[in-house]
Amino acid sequence: MVSKEFFRLLEVIAEERGISVDLITDAFIKGMVVAFKKSKGHTSCRVELNPDKNEILVFEQHLVVPDEGYDLEADPTLKQMKLSEAKQRKNRIKVGDILEESINPKEFSQTAVVNLKNVLNQNLKNIEKENVYQFFKAKEKEMVIAKVIGEDEEYYRLDLGKELTTLLPKREALPTDKFVVGESIKVYIASVEMKTKGPKVLVTRLDKSLVTRLFENLIPEVKSGVVEIMGIARDPGDRTKVGVMSNDKNVDAIGACIGEESARIKEIVRALSGEKVDLFLWSTNERDLIANSLQPAEVLSVTQINPIKRTALAIVKDDKLSLAIGKGGQNVKLAVQAINWKIDIKSASMAEAEGILF
């Protein structure tokens, strides 16, 4: 069958749905096989598309077997035909050959044509689902921008693009998040799964990796690797502590992250709905690293260092003890998580009373 219009439509469908022509062609061929079965009662056929000649070719296939009986070990998908019958159609044929006879698709019944359309549409939907799944699977563990399109007591409904929506549970949002419909927000893709109805994308704003992705997105030196995030700890919605190090002696790691007039760090804080971000300089020197991690408190001395157990004692001024510990122990807790050291803190007077030299 010749159909120039069919091959033109292939290009149109490919462009409209964002699917390659090859995938659409494959879906069509599968549909043709179903239509053939509906008309002929079996699937022993070969479908060939010839774009150069605008041809759609369908061949009914038969495996030629001896007149004495059928071949029980042959491919069960091939309909068998006895040699004597096959020779009536093609004289020079022998047992084991495949006899092909051309079938005009226009001969398919109306029911077969309906089945063809249904199978084609279903296959195209499956391809679209798979394409969307692969697109977002590649973004798993990454930050994306989503648009808020709805809200109820428990969820924000988000448009992720690619005609895919998801829910951001409010328990996975920050306590300070107050989004409105139409607002674009940054979320972290925690996981992507393929479900019966299509891809399911789970998002959150609580993961500390969201902060890492914000740094990479908004600070060129971090994105290029000139400045590295070496450690990070987070109390989502309240405070994050980030240890950074420069791989270029001419680049100030802290300064690069803060930006001119604090523009960069303000943008990060704004994306986190006001969550505070503390920066400290990473160091390969254990004493400096521990002292820096406890900022903004000034550390007088770091002693009793055990590199095997990764424990140490930090001594601070008496009036800085509460600052070093932080409200509810937050500052020291985040420092411990960021550098993976257990830190005990004492004031100078406490250390002196216990005879600790510093």
Side-chain angles (χ1 to χ4, degrees):
M1 184 178 78
V2 176
S3 178
K4 187 175 182 180
E5 180 65 12
F6 167 78
F7 288 96
R8 187 190 70 80
L9 284 175
L10 280 183
E11 301 288 345
V12 173
I13 295 172
E15 185 174 350
E16 288 180 348
R17 300 206 180 198
I19 303 173
S20 72
V21 172
D22 287 344
L23 287 176
I24 296 176
T25 298
D26 183 62
F28 175 77
I29 289 174
K30 290 177 180 176
M32 287 293 285
V33 172
V34 172
F36 176 89
K37 181 180 181 181
K38 197 68 179 179
S39 287
K40 299 292 184 178
H42 63 91
T43 58
S44 185
C45 68
R46 180 172 66 86
V47 180
E48 179 182 331
L49 301 185
N50 190 341
D52 294 334
K53 297 182 179 180
N54 297 315
E55 289 181 323
I56 303 173
L57 305 174
V58 181
F59 300 94
E60 184 172 14
Q61 295 181 315
H62 292 90
L63 173 64
V64 180
V65 297
D67 287 346
E68 291 76 18
Y70 292 104
D71 186 350
L72 299 178
E73 296 181 359
D75 185 345
T77 63
L78 284 174
K79 189 174 178 63
Q80 297 184 17
M81 180 183 287
K82 292 183 178 182
L83 179 61
S84 58
E85 185 181 350
K87 281 187 174 292
Q88 294 175 15
R89 291 169 168 81
K90 187 177 180 181
N91 187 48
R92 299 181 64 180
I93 198 164
K94 60 183 184 296
V95 171
D97 288 349
I98 303 295
L99 175 67
E100 290 193 335
E101 295 181 295
S102 180
I103 301 294
N104 190 336
K106 290 183 178 180
E107 297 176 6
F108 289 172
S109 66
Q110 185 60 38
T111 304
V113 173
V114 171
N115 271 271
L116 166 60
K117 292 179 179 178
N118 291 338
V119 171
L120 176 58
N121 285 331
Q122 187 57 52
N123 284 339
L124 290 178
K125 287 179 182 178
N126 290 340
I127 292 170
E128 288 176 330
K129 288 178 183 178
E130 181 63 23
N131 284 351
V132 172
Y133 169 75
Q134 292 298 338
F135 176 84
F136 284 102
K137 191 66 177 178
K139 295 183 179 296
E140 196 173 51
K141 310 304 180 187
E142 296 294 337
M143 179 185 75
V144 298
I145 297 176
K147 185 176 182 180
V148 180
I149 58 174
E151 177 189 5
D152 59 26
E153 291 184 0
E154 296 185 0
Y155 300 96
Y156 290 106
R157 181 173 292 277
L158 306 179
D159 181 359
L160 295 173
K162 298 287 183 181
E163 299 184 356
L164 184 67
T165 62
T166 191
L167 296 176
L168 171 64
K170 290 189 175 179
R171 66 178 182 274
E172 292 295 327
L174 304 177
T176 48
D177 285 339
K178 304 297 177 187
F179 302 132
V180 296
V181 173
E183 184 176 358
S184 293
I185 66 172
K186 294 179 173 68
V187 294
Y188 182 76
I189 295 183
S191 67
V192 180
E193 304 172 353
M194 179 61 90
K195 299 293 186 179
T196 304
K197 293 183 178 180
K200 183 177 181 181
V201 179
L202 301 181
V203 297
T204 181
R205 281 177 52 82
L206 304 183
D207 199 295
K208 65 183 180 182
S209 293
L210 176 63
V211 181
T212 301
R213 298 295 178 260
L214 282 168
F215 270 73
E216 293 169 348
N217 187 255
L218 298 171
I219 302 170
E221 291 85 350
V222 174
K223 186 175 182 178
S224 67
V226 172
V227 173
E228 283 189 72
I229 294 177
M230 304 299 294
I232 184 169
R234 188 182 185 201
D235 271 345
D238 190 4
R239 186 179 298 272
T240 292
K241 190 179 283 282
V242 184
V244 294
M245 181 179 72
S246 175
N247 293 313
D248 185 338
K249 63 181 180 181
N250 296 315
V251 176
D252 173 17
I254 301 291
C257 293
I258 293 175
E260 189 173 349
E261 296 183 352
S262 302
R264 292 176 174 177
I265 200 68
K266 284 180 180 178
E267 183 65 20
I268 291 172
V269 170
R270 185 159 41 247
L272 296 173
S273 298
E275 182 175 314
K276 299 178 182 65
V277 179
D278 294 338
L279 300 168
F280 69 92
L281 191 63
W282 195 269
S283 176
T284 54
N285 181 284
E286 295 163 342
R287 283 184 169 80
D288 291 342
L289 175 63
I290 293 166
N292 293 347
S293 72
L294 291 170
Q295 292 174 355
E298 181 182 348
V299 176
L300 296 175
S301 176
V302 177
T303 186
Q304 297 182 3
I305 297 173
N306 186 326
I308 297 176
K309 294 184 178 181
R310 296 180 72 85
T311 59
L313 172 64
I315 311 297
V316 299
K317 293 181 179 179
D318 288 8
D319 61 349
K320 301 297 181 182
L321 181 61
S322 60
L323 182 62
I325 295 173
K327 185 178 180 179
Q330 184 188 62
N331 190 57
V332 66
K333 181 190 75 173
L334 292 179
V336 166
Q337 292 175 355
I339 68 173
N340 195 29
W341 276 74
K342 184 178 179 180
I343 308 170
D344 192 13
I345 301 176
K346 294 183 183 294
S347 66
S349 59
M350 290 168 61
E352 288 175 357
E354 294 178 24
I356 299 172
L357 301 176
F358 60 95

